[in-house]
Amino acid sequence: MDKWIRLAGEIRKMTISYKIDTEELEREEMERVMVAESSERGTFNPEVALEFHELSQVRVFAEMLRSSEEIEGIEIEVAPDFDLTVQYKGGEYERYQLWLGQPNRPSVITKLERTDVIWKLPEHTTNRLIDILGVNYSPLICFAN
C-alpha cells in the first residue's frame, strides 16, 4: 500500500508542471441546467422541457458561459429559442435566454435580468449546444430561377 501512495505522489509531481489537477475536473460549480422553449424576450417559460445534471452535460453550458463575449450595438428583434435556468452548487441560480445559431455560426445569450447586455457565443459552442439540445437542422434547399 505504501508503494502505491509513493507512486501516486510521484505521478502528481510529474503532472504538476502540466497544471493537470484531476480534482478540478470534478469541481464544476454548475450543478444542473433546465431548458424550456422560449416565447418572448424578457419573459421566462417555467415549463422545463429538458434537464441536464450529468457532469459531461453541464460542462457544455459552463463552457457556453466561459466562452461568451459581450457585444455592443446589436438589437435582437426575434424571440429567443430557449430559456435556460442554470443552478449552481449551494442552490443559487441564474436565468438566460438563448438564440441558438445555425451549425458553425455564432449564437447569442442574454441574462434574463439584464436583457440590455448581449453575449456572443463562438461557433464551436453553438455546435456543442446543438448536439446536447438535440436540435436537428435540415439543409436548406434553394432553387434558382
Side-chain angles (χ1 to χ4, degrees):
M1 184 69 159
D2 208 28
K3 180 179 172 183
W4 291 110
I5 293 173
R6 282 196 310 264
L7 179 60
E10 290 302 314
I11 291 171
R12 184 161 177 78
K13 284 182 200 173
M14 291 182 330
T15 59
I16 254 176
S17 62
Y18 295 106
K19 297 187 182 198
I20 297 173
D21 182 355
T22 54
E23 290 179 14
E24 183 180 346
L25 297 176
E26 300 302 321
R27 263 190 272 149
E28 184 60 61
E29 290 297 315
M30 196 179 285
E31 190 171 64
R32 181 169 65 150
V33 178
M34 293 160 283
V35 181
E37 278 190 60
S38 191
S39 60
E40 185 179 347
R41 185 174 183 182
T43 302
F44 204 79
N45 179 1
E47 294 180 33
V48 175
L50 298 170
E51 189 170 328
F52 302 98
H53 52 81
E54 291 179 21
L55 185 60
S56 61
Q57 298 169 329
V58 168
R59 279 200 181 127
V60 172
F61 295 95
E63 173 62 24
M64 173 191 77
L65 296 180
R66 286 192 279 268
S67 68
S68 65
E69 178 182 312
E70 187 176 334
I71 54 177
E72 295 178 9
I74 185 173
E75 280 294 320
I76 301 175
E77 302 283 328
V78 296
D81 298 302
F82 299 101
D83 294 336
L84 310 174
T85 302
V86 175
Q87 183 178 332
Y88 295 94
K89 291 179 181 171
E92 293 183 35
Y93 68 92
E94 296 176 328
R95 297 188 304 181
Y96 295 89
Q97 294 194 299
L98 167 67
W99 287 260
L100 188 62
Q102 296 286 321
N104 302 312
R105 296 289 200 190
S107 296
V108 293
I109 58 172
T110 60
K111 200 168 185 177
L112 188 64
E113 296 79 19
R114 291 289 318 267
T115 58
D116 59 317
V117 180
I118 299 171
W119 290 282
K120 177 182 165 186
L121 306 176
E123 294 83 359
H124 72 275
T125 301
T126 297
N127 294 341
R128 292 191 70 200
L129 288 167
I130 288 170
D131 287 342
I132 197 161
L133 293 171
V135 176
N136 291 323
Y137 281 107
S138 302
L140 296 175
I141 301 173
C142 298
F143 296 97
N145 291 336

